[in-house]
Amino acid sequence: MSEAKKSLFIKTYGCQMNVYDSDRMADVLARDGYRRVDSADQADLILLNTCHIREKAAEKVYSEVGRLKKLKDAAASEGRTVSIAVAGCVAQAEGEEIMARAPAVDAVIGPQSYHRLPQVLERVQRDGHAIETEFPAEDKFDHMPAPGSARPKGQISAFLTVQEGCDKFCTFCVVPYTRGSEASRPVDRIVEEARGLVERGAREIMLLGQNVNAFHGSGPDGEDWSLARLLARLSEIDGLERLRYTTSHPRDMRDDLIGAHRDLAKVMPYLHLPVQSGSDRILKAMNRRHGRDDYLQLIDRLRAARPDLALSGDFIVGFPGETDADFAATMELIRTVGYAQAYSFKYSPRPGTPAADRADQVDESVKSERLAGLQTLLGDQQRAFNAQMQGRMMDVLLEKPGRETGQLTGRSPWLQPVQVDAPAALIGSIVPVRIDRIGANSLFGTMLDPVSGDAGDGETAATLRPGAAA
Ligand code: 5AD
Ligand code: SF4
């Protein structure tokens, strides 16, 4: 009789790289007979893929383990063993502390060791627990099965990690400590993985890296390739229609990458380019290694290359020593740039990072007030950006069933969700859509006939095209 399948539940916190890692861990464990399930209730193994970027994110793990302990105890009373493993950046940063604080956790495994998951679980069986947080000499990607090999069908928009880690050492950030120093994957392996994703149905690939535009993977010609060169190579893959990349650092936004936004049709007109602050004094204290004007000039060059480029960013308010004037400079920068979308956070002191030790921490109440002001401004900008899409014609990549029957959800080139009435057979297609209505979180549109541009109501794509550039 064959052994009953074991079930695996993964809860993912934090960034897209964790989402990618969770899928890859599921692929690794599939070889050992683990089937991924959607709920922790009946799972034999529960994996928490954690985030350490801010205190709140890290604390969530401990409260989740508290809840899961009840599940584990209840299963034990029925004679069933449930294992709990903590992966991701909290695992890397806090290692043994996790076991001490949360004895219900059986295993702790850092992001560079995911290929060793089966051995870690064997050690749990043998010793009752295991911790694996070294940075191993071998490359985990060389020791993991092809992505998606365990899943019946891939996603229309897929993630692909091309670079990991960071050498920038911004004074607020844990990433250089949890993800280690910057490393890029070889070009051939990335192309192979991209081809596999396209064969499994992907039409869009989002290249991931903590510092993705610092990419310098070794190419088949023995040279180090830039991200721009990689994007050009990936553009040649038939069936791959859209390319995106995240997250970028302003310092690594080189000429050839700016040129890629002008020259490569498959590179989408959307860029996440965090600046964190608009004050030169704070940027210096953050060790960002560029000033406000450098950033603004960079945006000008990007927009000259690609006039309809939409920008997204990250902002931190209440960094130690931030004055009202510094904060005003950030607001001013936001007004100058105009963001389509953005993430903003209160500064959170992270143990082991230089800024955490500063004596001039900003009051929580001041942080909250500044964050509220900043989010109001960013919210207004996002609404304005979406509102100007009214009546416009755009290409939408249809990704999955929509909220209502007969509806599909897709994405605009600028990453906005778009709801369209369309048959499920069109999932994976890029179709012309006229935007009829702007919702709170989505755009609503009508699919046009790709040949005549006819929406079936007398209007045509041609008449809807004026002012197509943002
Ligand atoms: N506190 C607040 N926000 C932070 N980020 C990184 N570290 C911290 C911190 N200690 C934010 C930055 C970064 C994003 C991923 O998270 O804005 O770009
Ligand atoms: Fe963190 Fe990004 Fe700075 Fe690296 S560049 S230290 S990942 S904020």
Side-chain angles (χ1 to χ4, degrees):
M1 222 173 77
S2 71
E3 204 187 322
K5 284 228 172 197
K6 293 168 280 186
S7 58
L8 161 72
F9 173 69
I10 308 182
K11 182 156 182 171
T12 307
Y13 300 83
C15 65
Q16 289 129 323
M17 199 169 277
N18 269 8
V19 175
Y20 175 86
D21 286 344
S22 290
D23 286 348
R24 302 280 321 242
M25 285 193 272
D27 294 334
V28 168
L29 290 169
R31 288 198 296 209
D32 286 359
Y34 280 95
R35 188 176 47 90
R36 196 165 174 181
V37 293
D38 294 335
S39 139
D41 291 345
Q42 290 302 314
D44 301 298
L45 172 61
I46 299 170
L47 193 56
L48 302 180
N49 192 6
T50 62
C51 173
H52 201 248
I53 199 95
R54 287 168 292 276
E55 190 182 358
K56 257 197 193 143
E59 281 305 315
K60 273 188 200 159
V61 178
Y62 290 102
S63 40
E64 184 64 20
V65 172
R67 275 192 293 274
L68 293 174
K69 183 178 181 306
K70 293 192 187 106
L71 245 172
K72 183 174 173 150
D73 292 345
S77 67
E78 294 167 9
R80 211 162 54 80
T81 307
V82 173
S83 304
I84 301 176
V86 176
C89 294
V90 177
Q92 189 62 48
E94 302 192 2
E96 301 193 359
E97 223 178 300
I98 300 178
M99 296 262 190
R101 234 181 111 174
V105 173
D106 302 284
V108 171
I109 182 160
Q112 300 313 322
S113 305
Y114 293 155
H115 57 299
R116 295 187 179 175
L117 255 171
Q119 292 87 312
V120 167
L121 295 178
E122 272 169 30
R123 273 164 50 203
V124 169
Q125 284 219 318
R126 198 184 58 221
D127 308 335
H129 66 273
I131 301 184
E132 180 88 39
T133 51
E134 298 298 307
F135 285 93
E138 76 274 10
D139 181 351
K140 66 175 169 188
F141 292 113
D142 291 339
H143 295 81
M144 292 204 276
S149 50
R151 281 163 270 152
K153 201 163 168 271
Q155 278 154 330
I156 302 298
S157 177
F159 293 147
L160 200 174
T161 293
V162 301
Q163 179 280 339
E164 273 192 284
C166 183
D167 295 334
K168 295 276 189 307
F169 290 93
C170 298
T171 55
F172 53 81
C173 185
V174 286
V175 166
Y177 312 96
T178 56
R179 290 278 176 167
S181 62
E182 213 242 294
S184 300
R185 295 177 64 193
V187 171
D188 276 349
R189 303 301 306 269
I190 295 167
V191 173
E192 189 185 309
E193 188 169 328
R195 279 220 188 88
L197 289 168
V198 172
E199 270 162 29
R200 307 180 75 74
R203 292 291 166 265
E204 170 176 290
I205 291 183
M206 169 86 92
L207 304 179
L208 301 179
Q210 265 100 22
N211 225 199
V212 74
N213 59 344
F215 177 84
H216 56 92
S218 63
D221 54 3
E223 281 180 37
D224 269 6
W225 282 33
S226 65
L227 184 64
R229 219 169 150 192
L230 177 68
L231 287 165
R233 176 71 193 82
L234 293 172
S235 285
E236 291 167 7
I237 297 178
D238 279 342
L240 177 55
E241 306 297 344
R242 289 182 167 188
L243 286 163
R244 304 180 186 273
Y245 58 93
T246 198
T247 288
S248 296
H249 191 290
R251 288 263 307 196
D252 294 315
M253 211 66 220
R254 306 206 188 286
D255 288 346
D256 64 343
L257 188 53
I258 296 174
H261 280 277
R262 180 189 57 229
D263 301 334
L264 300 175
K266 293 183 180 180
V267 173
M268 289 293 101
Y270 182 96
L271 181 63
H272 184 63
L273 194 63
V275 64
Q276 316 295 353
S277 168
S279 152
D280 279 337
R281 220 173 59 81
I282 295 296
L283 286 170
K284 193 161 193 307
M286 286 176 162
N287 190 32
R288 292 290 291 180
R289 293 185 273 180
H290 66 78
R292 162 192 173 275
D293 288 349
D294 303 318
Y295 182 79
L296 293 177
Q297 281 161 17
L298 179 56
I299 300 293
D300 285 346
R301 284 163 59 214
L302 279 158
R303 284 184 164 150
R306 182 81 209 221
D308 66 342
L309 187 78
L311 286 154
S312 152
D314 292 341
F315 297 92
I316 296 177
V317 298
F319 183 83
E322 187 187 69
T323 62
D324 285 343
D326 293 319
F327 175 64
T330 301
M331 295 289 274
E332 189 52 39
L333 177 139
I334 294 172
R335 281 189 205 100
T336 306
V337 173
Y339 287 89
Q341 213 256 336
Y343 302 91
S344 48
F345 314 98
K346 289 194 250 183
Y347 169 70
S348 165
R350 306 308 294 128
T353 60
D357 297 331
R358 286 182 51 158
D360 50 356
Q361 300 291 327
V362 174
D363 267 7
E364 225 21 59
S365 60
V366 174
K367 286 185 197 170
S368 299
E369 201 179 305
R370 287 179 187 166
L371 186 68
L374 188 128
Q375 290 188 337
T376 303
L377 176 58
L378 289 167
D380 288 348
Q381 291 194 342
Q382 181 169 13
R383 272 186 296 280
F385 179 76
N386 288 341
Q388 50 146 355
M389 300 291 162
Q390 176 75 39
R392 270 179 61 179
M393 237 280 293
M394 60 173 68
D395 286 339
V396 172
L397 172 58
L398 300 172
E399 290 183 14
K400 55 186 181 200
R403 292 184 212 147
E404 325 244 323
T405 30
Q407 218 177 44
L408 298 181
T409 298
R411 292 265 178 188
S412 78
W414 304 278
L415 219 51
Q416 296 142 305
V418 186
Q419 313 290 333
V420 194
D421 286 341
L426 284 181
I427 288 178
S429 306
I430 294 178
V431 298
V433 168
R434 181 195 63 204
I435 300 303
D436 302 322
R437 188 161 68 81
I438 314 294
N441 303 307
S442 292
L443 310 180
F444 294 82
T446 306
M447 192 168 63
L448 307 177
D449 183 308
V451 182
S452 69
D454 196 336
D457 57 5
E459 279 194 280
T460 67
T463 61
L464 295 164
R465 266 202 189 276

